[in-house]
């Protein structure tokens, strides 16, 4: 069994920047990061380590399989952090499949309709 | 705090101040009961599913959410976590057709011959006979997507538990059985 790659996704910044489509996607991401005031530049404290970051590029598809957009994401190399020192709480709001099925079943029996909303740049929220 | 936790705190607080109750069953489930009706929200990281018995109050809620957070209103639920949802007055249909097609494509099984049975009769799968599959990661990868497909096809559950037992060191016979399941999936598409 062979995995067929439809469109090559660059694995690092150097590969991405030479392709105008990915370069554009990265510019877009930087613009939203700036607009949300995601970070501020500070002097690194003594004995503290900064963690690196990396660009992750993905081709996004629609429900029918057609291509919808080139998406670039800037990620922090969180694996360089140590549990208990750099962070304590790890939790992500992920609903159980059972809950989702129950809600759908309930909506069916009661004749309610289901709606969907989507949050832009979800991980830029916080204080 | 890590980003996903910060996000949950923020939206959770917002829901609680607007009169929602966090469910004890699942922390990503929020319910609000009023004299006019009930609103239920499920959060899956950045996706929200909303349902309620009173059509009027959804529009207010959507407007509030859009104001407070940068949200896109996707209207009626039609695609969620690889599951297609088709709604009518009486029924709600769940489909994983596109997901299955994508997976078949990914594993190079798009043009395979469909078969009518998931598993051959009287096949004894043995843990330590035959050649070990080279790409064990791929084997596990396929099993992962097969498990996901049981959401819509509970009839796959049994065979999947069978091939799942050989996750550690899959052998040729096991991979053949998995191929069989994929061909069956092509048949039921």
């Amino acid at each position: 069994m062979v995995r067929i790659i439809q469109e090559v996704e660059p694995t690092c910044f150097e590969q991405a920047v030479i392709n105008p489509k990915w370069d554009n996607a990265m510019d877009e991401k930087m613009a939203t990061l700036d607009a949300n005031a995601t970070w501020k530049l500070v002097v690194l404290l003594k004995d503290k380590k900064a963690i690196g970051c990396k660009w992750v590029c993905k081709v996004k598809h629609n429900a029918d399989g057609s291509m919808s957009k080139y998406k670039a994401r800037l990620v922090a190399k969180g694996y360089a952090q140590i549990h208990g020192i750099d962070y304590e709480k790890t939790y992500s709001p992920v609903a159980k499949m059972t809950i989702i099925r129950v809600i759908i079943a309930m909506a069916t029996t009661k004749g309610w309709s289901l709606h969907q909303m989507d949050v832009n740049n979800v991980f830029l929220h916080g204080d | 705090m890590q980003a996903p936790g910060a996000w949950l705190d923020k939206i959770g607080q917002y829901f609680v101040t607007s009169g929602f109750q966090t469910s004890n069953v699942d922390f990503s489930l929020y319910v609000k009961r009023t004299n006019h009706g009930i609103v239920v929200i499920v959060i899956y990281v950045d996706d929200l599913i909303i349902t309620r018995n009173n059509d009027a109050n959804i529009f207010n809620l959507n407007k509030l959410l859009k104001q407070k957070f940068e949200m896109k209103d996707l209207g009626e639920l039609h695609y969620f976590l690889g599951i297609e949802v088709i709604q009518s007055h009486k029924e709600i249909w769940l489909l994983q057709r596109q997901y299955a097609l994508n997976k078949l494509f990914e594993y190079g099984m798009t043009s395979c011959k469909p078969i009518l049975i998931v598993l051959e009769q009287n096949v004894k799968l043995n843990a330590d006979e035959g050649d070990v599959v080279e790409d064990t990661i791929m084997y596990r990868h396929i099993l992962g997507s097969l498990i996901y497909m049981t959401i819509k096809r509970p009839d796959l559950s049994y065979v999947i538990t069978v091939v799942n037992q050989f996750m550690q060191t899959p052998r040729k016979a096991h991979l053949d059985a998995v191929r069989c399941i994929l061909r069956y999936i092509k048949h039921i598409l």
Side-chain angles (χ1 to χ4, degrees):
Chain A
M1 281 178 223
V2 195
R3 212 188 295 193
I4 305 160
I5 297 156
Q6 292 150 290
E7 175 112 19
V8 182
E9 288 165 346
T11 51
C12 66
F13 177 76
E14 285 72 22
Q15 276 175 25
V17 77
I18 48 175
N19 185 334
K21 288 177 213 148
W22 292 115
D23 193 27
N24 233 335
M26 290 194 291
D27 282 345
E28 252 171 58
K29 189 70 196 180
M30 283 308 284
T32 47
L33 287 167
D34 281 338
N36 278 286
T38 312
W39 57 59
K40 82 181 160 209
L41 285 177
V42 290
V43 179
L44 189 63
L45 294 171
K46 198 173 160 276
D47 297 330
K48 294 284 179 193
K49 257 197 229 147
I51 59 168
C53 63
K54 175 184 167 35
W55 283 98
V56 176
C57 299
K58 282 267 176 251
V59 179
K60 287 281 171 184
H61 297 276
N62 293 322
D64 60 1
S66 63
M67 212 203 76
S68 73
K69 71 171 196 172
Y70 292 89
K71 185 179 176 116
R73 188 182 284 137
L74 186 67
V75 297
K77 292 179 177 171
Y79 54 80
Q81 294 173 296
I82 298 160
H83 184 93
I85 296 175
D86 300 304
Y87 66 95
E88 277 150 12
K89 257 170 100 173
T90 50
Y91 186 75
S92 190
V94 178
K96 293 182 200 111
M97 210 45 185
T98 356
I99 296 292
I100 296 169
R101 297 189 68 134
V102 166
I103 298 299
I104 292 174
M106 200 171 76
T108 323
T109 50
K110 303 266 184 191
W112 302 347
S113 70
L114 293 157
H115 281 256
Q116 188 173 23
M117 285 185 99
D118 177 52
V119 188
N120 302 331
N121 293 307
V122 63
F123 291 154
L124 305 187
H125 287 276
D127 304 309
Chain B
M1 172 136 39
Q2 308 296 90
W7 158 243
L8 178 69
D9 277 5
K10 190 168 170 182
I11 190 139
Q13 238 165 45
Y14 175 74
F15 282 145
V16 169
T17 50
S18 2
F20 280 87
Q21 271 184 326
T22 320
S23 166
N24 289 330
V25 184
D26 194 326
F27 293 119
S28 44
L29 179 66
Y30 291 88
V31 184
K32 182 181 184 177
R33 283 193 196 84
T34 61
N35 297 334
H36 307 291
I38 182 169
V39 186
V40 180
I41 299 179
V42 183
I43 308 178
Y44 197 98
V45 191
D46 61 346
D47 281 316
L48 274 79
I49 303 179
I50 306 168
T51 186
R52 73 283 174 250
N53 64 348
N54 184 347
D55 272 346
N57 52 28
I58 192 126
F59 295 108
N60 295 330
L61 179 73
N62 285 9
K63 234 177 33 203
L64 281 173
L65 281 171
K66 261 196 258 176
Q67 260 169 24
K68 184 87 182 157
F69 307 95
E70 248 183 82
M71 280 199 198
K72 244 191 309 200
D73 191 350
L74 300 174
E76 297 240 310
L77 180 66
H78 56 93
Y79 193 70
F80 185 75
L81 303 173
I83 304 168
E84 294 144 78
V85 183
I86 300 167
Q87 298 184 59
S88 76
H89 289 299
K90 274 187 174 167
E91 299 161 315
I92 298 176
W93 287 79
L94 300 182
L95 296 174
Q96 281 184 302
R97 196 186 144 78
Q98 192 55 51
Y99 180 82
L101 281 172
N102 289 347
K103 287 298 162 189
L104 287 178
F105 179 77
E106 203 180 323
Y107 308 138
M109 297 286 285
T110 308
S111 48
C112 70
K113 210 169 126 206
I115 45 169
L116 304 179
I117 42 163
V118 226
L119 195 63
E120 273 177 62
Q121 214 176 357
N122 298 325
V123 169
K124 276 260 183 295
L125 290 175
N126 205 309
D128 33 41
E129 261 172 44
D131 298 334
V132 176
V133 173
E134 270 174 48
D135 198 347
T136 49
I137 291 174
M138 192 51 157
Y139 184 88
R140 291 168 203 152
H141 191 114
I142 298 171
L143 287 194
S145 29
L146 286 179
I147 292 169
Y148 196 62
M149 281 186 244
T150 58
I151 294 172
K152 181 61 218 310
R153 302 292 311 201
D155 55 334
L156 293 174
S157 306
Y158 172 68
V159 266
I160 288 168
T161 56
V162 172
V163 286
N164 244 319
Q165 295 166 13
F166 310 106
M167 197 85 108
Q168 185 64 38
T169 41
R171 287 163 198 278
K172 200 186 158 289
H174 311 142
L175 187 60
D176 287 343
V178 169
R179 281 211 185 94
C180 210
I181 300 173
L182 288 172
R183 287 171 63 190
Y184 175 74
I185 286 171
K186 173 127 190 230
H187 163 67
I188 58 177
L189 271 183

